[in-house]
Amino acid sequence: MDLVLEICDEYAFDKIWAHLVPLSAFAAQYSLPINATLVSASSAIPPAVGVVVTSSKWAELVSFLPHPALPVELATSTVYASTSGALVSAWPRDYVPRQLVSLTLLTLVGTHALYFLFAGLSYKYIFNHDMMRHPRFLKNQVKMEIQASLKAFPVMTMLMLPWFQGEVMGYSKLYENVDDFGWIYLFVSIPLLFLFTDYSIYWVHRMLHYPVLYKHIHKPHHKWIIPTPFSSHAFHPVDGFLQSFPYHLFIFIFPMHRIVYLGLFVLVNFWAIFIHDSDMFTGHPLVSIINGPAHHTLHHLYFTVNYGQYFTWADKLGGSYRQPESSLDPALDMKPLESTPTPAEVKAQKSQ
């Protein structure tokens, strides 16, 4: 998330924060002159004429907000000014309240965007809509799945926020330069992430099926016996956070290139959606290795099997593996299509 915030600061958030919490709103506190010129990080404008001071209701309101110490000589520094000579914010990039608000916004927007994009595409092009005729498919289920997801996202964001903040403040082991650990480690870190998170999530997921936790936290997700891609995030927010926790924890233990981590984090969300399409495609050579949609479909049907995220090895070690077979396909239980009567049949029924 530190990379995303850095990009957004550079191309959008610096300007937005300069207008929301302008340095000029605090001019009176530092005896800055009214109607001074724009700050320019590339110019030698003296600090006393380096701030645009405006008089407005918003500036008066903003002047009561907390802010870091703002020495006048910093008014022309790159901490408070952009090279474009734009307005400057009293909340610089490294100010924690600004980071928290920015991260909250980014997480909410990003979560909703990934959810509706990937789930929407999977629902339209991959999900078998005939499964909606299954007797255990709920009335208005897709609508309820989306509502449950939207209800969970804000709370999940708050639970993830401290970990994202830790990333931004440099407490994680994310790194930027490949030379820091070399190309070999960069490629090794990818399967290491999958192995660490897969095994961790297996036990987190299995723990959530313990009766006390299941009843209060995990049961809402098992409401969807025949899941659709939109059910992927339709769970209790604590459930969602606990199953994402290993991804946050990993980068505080193991070094990982931040671009690679960002890409894998997006892939994780795609995978979570992909395995909820109720597919029971079996017989392929990887069916006993990869924990795919067929395995997760069985988990929703039978509850105590196939807890894994990516692979089947943890379930096999834990004695909870169940092999997908065509005889277990829930499509076998679908209601038959109701045939539309022909005009002749309708006429015959009326004449009876």
Side-chain angles (χ1 to χ4, degrees):
M1 188 59 76
D2 63 331
L3 176 60
V4 176
L5 181 60
E6 182 180 317
I7 294 172
C8 289
D9 276 336
E10 180 69 26
Y11 294 100
F13 285 179
D14 283 345
K15 296 179 182 178
I16 293 173
W17 281 109
H19 284 85
L20 289 178
V21 190
L23 181 60
S24 60
F26 304 91
Q29 301 177 29
Y30 299 95
S31 300
L32 298 178
I34 303 295
N35 297 325
T37 58
L38 288 172
V39 169
S40 176
S42 60
S43 70
I45 298 175
V49 293
V51 180
V52 173
V53 181
T54 58
S55 179
S56 67
K57 294 288 185 180
W58 179 252
E60 293 177 7
L61 179 63
V62 166
S63 66
F64 293 99
L65 291 175
H67 60 79
L70 303 174
V72 177
E73 60 269 18
L74 290 181
T76 56
S77 75
T78 55
V79 176
Y80 292 92
S82 67
T83 55
S84 62
L87 287 171
V88 182
S89 175
W91 284 13
R93 290 184 182 182
D94 61 355
Y95 189 47
V96 173
R98 165 175 164 170
Q99 292 174 336
L100 288 172
V101 174
S102 297
L103 286 171
T104 299
L105 177 64
L106 285 174
T107 304
L108 284 172
V109 172
T111 300
H112 285 76
L114 289 175
Y115 174 69
F116 283 108
L117 175 62
F118 291 148
L121 290 173
S122 180
Y123 179 77
K124 183 175 182 179
Y125 296 107
I126 300 178
F127 176 66
N128 180 6
H129 288 71
D130 290 338
M131 295 302 299
M132 300 170 77
R133 294 189 284 110
H134 194 280
R136 304 184 77 177
F137 193 89
L138 304 178
K139 182 180 180 181
N140 297 321
Q141 179 172 313
V142 173
K143 179 181 178 180
M144 290 191 293
E145 290 170 341
I146 294 174
Q147 290 175 335
S149 300
L150 296 181
K151 185 178 179 180
F153 287 156
V155 180
M156 286 180 58
T157 296
M158 294 299 103
L159 294 173
M160 292 187 293
L161 191 58
W163 296 90
F164 289 148
Q165 183 65 28
E167 289 180 38
V168 171
M169 296 179 71
Y171 293 119
S172 75
K173 294 184 179 294
L174 290 174
Y175 64 92
E176 184 174 5
N177 298 316
V178 176
D179 292 339
D180 290 348
F181 293 91
W183 285 100
I184 294 177
Y185 179 78
L186 184 144
F187 287 108
V188 168
S189 68
I190 297 174
L192 179 62
L193 171 72
F194 284 125
L195 290 173
F196 177 86
T197 56
D198 190 55
Y199 195 60
S200 300
I201 289 174
Y202 171 82
W203 286 110
V204 169
H205 193 177
R206 188 159 185 169
M207 176 188 69
L208 287 169
H209 278 259
Y210 188 75
V212 174
L213 294 177
Y214 180 82
K215 178 180 178 180
H216 297 287
I217 298 178
H218 195 52
K219 186 177 180 179
H221 186 62
H222 275 279
K223 179 179 181 179
W224 327 113
I225 306 298
I226 305 298
T228 80
F230 289 108
S231 71
S232 58
H233 292 72
F235 36 45
H236 190 288
V238 175
D239 183 356
F241 169 72
L242 288 176
Q243 295 203 57
S244 69
F245 177 70
Y247 298 101
H248 302 293
L249 181 62
F250 179 85
I251 57 172
F252 286 85
I253 301 176
F254 303 100
M256 188 161 217
H257 194 279
R258 61 179 186 163
I259 294 179
V260 174
Y261 179 70
L262 178 61
L264 292 176
F265 197 81
V266 173
L267 177 63
V268 165
N269 282 272
F270 170 76
W271 185 260
I273 291 169
F274 175 67
I275 63 176
H276 282 86
D277 68 0
S278 297
D279 175 54
M280 278 296 291
F281 179 67
T282 61
H284 57 85
L286 297 178
V287 71
S288 62
I289 301 174
I290 303 297
N291 187 70
H295 300 79
H296 202 68
T297 296
L298 293 182
H299 176 73
H300 276 259
L301 285 171
Y302 301 106
F303 296 179
T304 58
V305 299
N306 301 345
Y307 296 104
Q309 182 84 348
Y310 306 110
F311 307 106
T312 61
W313 65 280
D315 279 295
K316 290 177 179 178
L317 287 175
S320 55
Y321 179 69
R322 185 159 187 176
Q323 178 84 0
E325 299 175 0
S326 57
S327 61
L328 301 174
D329 192 341
L332 300 174
D333 299 323
M334 287 192 301
K335 297 176 182 177
L337 286 171
E338 296 181 1
S339 58
T340 303
T342 64
E345 291 174 335
V346 172
K347 185 177 180 180
Q349 290 174 0
K350 290 182 177 179
S351 64
Q352 291 177 357

